[in-house]
Amino acid sequence: MNAILEAILKRRAVKVFEPLEISEEMREQILKAASHAPSSFNMQPYRFYWIGTAKKKTEAAKLCMGQMPAETASALIVAVADIGSLAATSQSQVEWMRGRSEFSEAKIRDYARTAKIGRILFMPGPFGIFGAVKWGMFRLLNLWKVMGMPPVSRKDVFKWATKSTSLACENLIIAAETMGINTCPMEGFDNRRLSKFLGLSARDHEIVMVIAIGKKSQTYVEPPQWRRPLHATVSIL
């Protein structure tokens, strides 16, 4: 069986870890895999906070409701949807394109224009006024034309960013599994206090999940795994 497919099928959310030193090189490989996940407009609207020092990890584990995976993990990774980075990200890509011979000035201008249009479409505006105008405009156009609805509120933009963040998290988890490292994604945490602990902005950031990472304890016995049969989840049209 393909090694990646095998890692996907054997991956489990481990509840108890044993001490493991995760090298800087291994950490970089895991996070690099996360950053290679697909994202809309290639905007990569997320940030990862790797909490590995004992003191910081103990503090963060308390904010994860004292869950066993958080307390015993070698590190905690906080995945954050970041909608405040869009302009800087597109500008960085323009600069990267300028340094490569494969991109003509016309292609660079096209990308910069598309990225700018994307940022404008995603902008809710003060008090959501621009979002309301967008909603009315696109609903009217949709009466005559098949088209999607862009995010019209800050909540919608966070929802959009959360999708890309979740894809990056899956890349991270599978990369770790292929390297013999186990994980446990967690949604149980004190969002307000953990955001404050990390210095996040409520305007631009939203925590999507916390991933405990380490080596499964030899004393931990995994219960049998059940999944819905494919015919219950898949429709072939």
Side-chain angles (χ1 to χ4, degrees):
M1 186 184 294
N2 177 279
I4 296 176
L5 181 57
E6 184 178 3
I8 292 171
L9 295 178
K10 77 174 185 178
R11 183 216 60 79
R12 300 295 298 276
V14 170
K15 306 301 183 183
V16 185
F17 297 93
E18 61 184 35
L20 170 71
E21 180 70 28
I22 300 177
S23 68
E24 185 177 340
E25 180 184 6
M26 191 174 289
R27 179 183 69 197
E28 186 172 336
Q29 289 177 338
I30 291 170
L31 293 172
K32 190 172 184 179
S35 73
H36 276 67
S39 62
S40 181
F41 293 103
N42 194 32
M43 293 307 294
Q44 306 158 59
Y46 46 73
R47 296 179 63 86
F48 287 99
Y49 292 81
W50 183 287
I51 307 173
T53 59
K55 183 176 183 297
K56 292 290 187 182
K57 187 169 71 69
T58 299
E59 292 178 44
K62 290 179 181 177
L63 301 179
C64 292
M65 328 295 279
Q67 295 180 77
M68 186 62 71
E71 290 191 337
T72 59
S74 298
L76 295 173
I77 307 165
V78 184
V80 178
D82 177 14
I83 65 172
S85 62
L86 307 187
T89 299
S90 57
Q91 182 57 40
S92 293
Q93 180 155 345
V94 167
E95 293 171 2
W96 172 79
M97 292 172 74
R98 291 193 190 285
R100 302 183 67 91
S101 58
E102 300 99 312
F103 300 103
S104 65
E105 270 304 314
K107 285 186 176 180
I108 295 171
R109 283 196 305 272
D110 285 345
Y111 168 77
R113 188 182 306 112
T114 300
K116 185 175 182 179
I117 292 171
R119 292 198 305 274
I120 292 172
L121 283 176
F122 283 18
M123 190 185 303
F127 305 108
I129 293 173
F130 185 42
V133 171
K134 281 192 299 181
W135 183 88
M137 182 178 68
F138 278 90
R139 281 302 296 266
L140 185 62
L141 288 172
N142 189 234
L143 294 175
W144 294 279
K145 186 176 182 180
V146 176
M147 62 191 312
M149 175 69 76
V152 297
S153 67
R154 185 165 293 277
K155 181 180 178 181
D156 287 343
V157 179
F158 269 125
K159 182 179 179 181
W160 164 81
T162 296
K163 293 176 184 179
S164 291
T165 306
S166 298
L167 289 173
C169 287
E170 179 68 5
N171 264 29
L172 185 153
I173 288 169
I174 298 306
E177 192 71 34
T178 61
M179 299 171 72
I181 301 175
N182 308 111
T183 57
C184 181
M186 300 179 295
E187 291 187 280
F189 51 84
D190 186 321
N191 184 73
R192 181 177 66 84
R193 288 184 171 86
L194 187 56
S195 294
K196 184 178 179 181
F197 174 75
L198 296 172
L200 303 180
S201 158
R203 176 179 174 82
D204 295 330
H205 305 123
E206 188 169 295
I207 300 174
V208 175
M209 69 180 76
V210 179
I211 302 172
I213 186 167
K215 187 70 175 176
K216 181 180 74 173
S217 171
Q218 295 182 20
T219 62
Y220 176 67
V221 179
E222 293 177 340
Q225 185 182 59
W226 177 82
R227 285 292 185 267
R228 293 168 64 188
L230 285 182
H231 68 77
T233 59
V234 179
S235 297
I236 308 296
L237 305 180

